[in-house]
Amino acid sequence: MTTRRVHTFCRICEPGCGLVADVRNEQVITLQPDKDHPIHKGFACHKGVHFLHVHNDPNRLDRPLRRTNPRHEELGNFVPIDWDDAVREIAEKLMDIRRRYGRNALAVYQGNPSAFNGTYYANAASLARGFDTRMRFSAGTQDTSAKYAASEAIYGASMAHPIPDLLHTDYFLCLGSNPLVSHMTLLHISDPMAKIRAVKKRGGTVLFVNPRRIESSGPDTGDVLQIKPDSDFYFLAAILHEIVFRIGYDRPAVEKHARNIDGLLDFVRGYPVERVTAATGIEADVIRQVADDFCAAPTASIYMATGVNQGRQGTLAYWMLNMISLFSGNLGRRGGNIYSRGMTDVVHNSKRKREDPFFRDSLGEVRTVGGDLPAARLPEYIANRDDPIRALIVISGNPLLSVGGAEGMRRALEDLELIVTIDLYRTVTGEMADYVLPATDWLEHEDVNFLNTMGVAMEPYVQYTPAVVPPRNDRRDDWWILSRIQQEMGVKTMLDSPDPNPLANADAAMRDAGLSLERLKEMPCQTAVLPEADPSHVFTIAVQHDDGLIDCCPAIFRRAYRTVEDILEELSNESPDQLKLITRRTLYMVNSWLHNLPILKQGAHQDNPLWMNPDDADRRGLVAGDDVIVHNRHGSIDAILAYDATLRPGVVAMTHGWGQSSARGLDVARRYPGVNVNRLSPNGKEGYDILSNQSHLTGINVEITRREPRSPR
C-alpha cells in the first residue's frame, strides 16, 4: 500500500503556512508543517495541522439538503436532494422573486473563508456580476473595511496598504493586534512572532498598544501600553501632533509625495496630548515618549489590526497611522512601512472611481466599500418596504453570529422567501436556510495562494496546490455551485466552457512575474519565491491618485469631524465605573468556524466566559465561576465569570463566534454552544462607521450583574 506526499498550504488565516499531506488510498493520513517550504520552513500553527479534524468531521455536509418545514421553527427539517434539482429549484425561485420585486431583491453575503479560496476569490467579481444585484454584503465589513476605505481616500486605491517592514525595522509600534494568536491581518508573514522577537534581538524596540497584556508581549518581544478601548484614534492623533508641532518633520520631503498638508495640520492641531489623556487613559508624558522614541529610531514601522478596525473610528485611526509613517520619514523606507507588490499590481484594480462614493438608496445616504454595503444594515434592507431583499445567498459565512444584533437579524431572516447557504457545515445560519449546499474544503480542490500575493506579503511568494484528495460524496467547489445556479438563470458562466478553469485569472496574473501554473507545478513545493519588496513602490505603485500624490487630508473624512469631537467628549467624561467590552482572540476559535472540533474544546475554552480583571470583580462583589448577566441597551447575554489579570481595569472581554446552540447539524458546537457576544453590539444606522461600513464590535459599554438562581416552580 503506497503513500504519496502532497505539498499544500493552510487556508485558515493569512500567512497560508506550508503543509505536507501524506495520502493513502485517497485518504489524508497526516497533515504536518512543510519543512521544505522555501518561506515557512516548517512553521505552521496547530489550527492548520488540526484541519484534518474538519476534513474528517462526521458532521460535514456531504449532499445538498432542502428544508421541509417553515423557517420560523428554530430547528430545520432537511431532506437530501440531487444537485440538478437543487440548482433548478433555487434558480426558479430566484427568478420568480426578481420578477416580483426587482433585481435587488436578491442579496449575497460572502464570509471570511471565501477570501482564502483562490478558485473562488479569483472569480469573485465575475460571480458577483452574474447575480446582477447591488445588495452585496460580506464579513469584510466586520473586520477590515476600515482600512480599505481609508486607503482608498489616502492613496486612491483600497488595496494600497503599506506594511511594516518587520525584517529590517528598529522600532515596531503595534496596535490592536495579538500576533501570537491571530498571525496578523492584511500583513502576510511567516512565523510573525519569530520576526517580532528578531526586532528585539537586533537591539530594536517593540511596543504593543492594547487594553490587555497580550500573549505576544514579554521579555523577548516588548511591553504593552494598556489603552482604553476604542480610543486608539486619539492616541495616534496625539503622536502625530507631537511629530508635526514639537519634534519636527521634513516638509519638502513630504511635499514631494503628498498634498493637503495644511489641511491635516489644521485638523491635528486640535488633538494635543493633554487633550486626549482622559480618553485614552495614557499619561501625556508617556505619549510624548512614544513619539520621541518612534522618531529617534533609525527606522520605525507601525501597524494596526482588528482591535482598532472594529472600533467606531477605525478609518480615521488608519489615516493617522499612515500620516505618522509619512511625517516621521518612515513611509517608503527600508525598515519603515513599505508596499509589497507581490506578483502583480493589484492596486490598479482597486483604484477609486470617484472622490465622493456616497449615493442615496431606499435607506438614505450610503456607500459601498469593495462593492459591499454595511452588513450592520442587512436587516433593514430586508425589512424595507420600498425595495426589499427577499432572497439571500450566503457563501461560507454565518451572518446570524458574525453581524451585530443577532435577534434583529434572526427576525429579518425569518421574513425572507429564500435562503441558500454554501458551507462545510449546517451552521445556525444554515439551520434557517431553505437549501444547504455542501462545499469542498481546501484539501479537496486545487488552489493558488491568490490573496497572499496581492500587495501585503512581507515575504512574497506564489504557491500552487493540487487537490490533495478528491471531494467526498456530493461536495462541490463554491465557484461551481454558484455557476450552476447562474446557468439555470440563463447567465453565461465558466461552466459554458468545455474545459472550465477557475484558476485562469490567477494564471494570467502571474504573467507579470514571468510565471504560470504549469511552471509552478514543476517547482519544489510548487512554490516560487518573488522579489523582495521595493520600499519606493509605496510612491510609484501604491499611490493611485491621478496626480500621483498622497492625500493627507481627504475631503470625505470631514464627514466624521463632528463625531470625533462627540466621542472624545464622551470618553473623556465617562464614569470610572463604566465597563468596556472587547473581543478576545484565542487559540481555540477562528471567527465562527473551527467550532465543531473536540480537540479545541479545552479547559475554560469549552465555553465563552466573560473575562474580567479580579479587581473589577471584587469591587462588584463577584468571584470567578459566578453566573452573570452582561447587558446594555442593545441586548443581554448570560455568561460565566472568569478572572483575567492581564485586562486593564474597566475592561472585560469575550470571544467572537460562539452561540451555535440551534445548530442541530453540529454535535460538538451544540454541546459547547457558548453565547453570541454580538447580541450586545449595536446594529442599524448606529452600528457602523459611515466612512467605511465597518461594524462597531469592540469597546462597547456594558453592565455586569450576578444572575440570581431561578426559583423552583
Side-chain angles (χ1 to χ4, degrees), residues 405-426:
E407 293 309 309
M409 180 67 76
R410 178 176 289 279
R411 288 192 297 270
L413 295 184
E414 286 176 354
D415 194 46
L416 290 172
E417 295 184 30
L418 178 67
I419 300 175
V420 178
T421 63
I422 301 169
D423 212 317
L424 307 183
Y425 293 102
R426 197 171 88 219

Side-chain angles (χ1 to χ4, degrees), residues 424-475:
L424 307 183
Y425 293 102
R426 197 171 88 219
T427 64
V428 290
T429 302
E431 199 69 38
M432 299 190 71
D434 299 282
Y435 295 87
V436 182
L437 306 180
T440 55
D441 64 47
W442 46 261
L443 293 171
E444 297 174 316
H445 62 79
E446 66 173 342
D447 213 342
V448 169
N449 65 327
F450 194 63
L451 182 67
N452 303 57
T453 63
M454 299 180 68
V456 290
M458 189 70 260
E459 304 156 300
Y461 69 95
V462 57
Q463 180 172 2
Y464 169 81
T465 177
V468 176
V469 290
R472 290 186 184 175
N473 300 309
D474 281 340
R475 299 172 187 171

Side-chain angles (χ1 to χ4, degrees), residues 85-96:
D85 288 342
V87 295
R88 185 185 67 254
E89 290 179 13
I90 291 167
E92 288 174 352
K93 291 179 180 182
L94 287 174
M95 289 188 291
D96 176 61

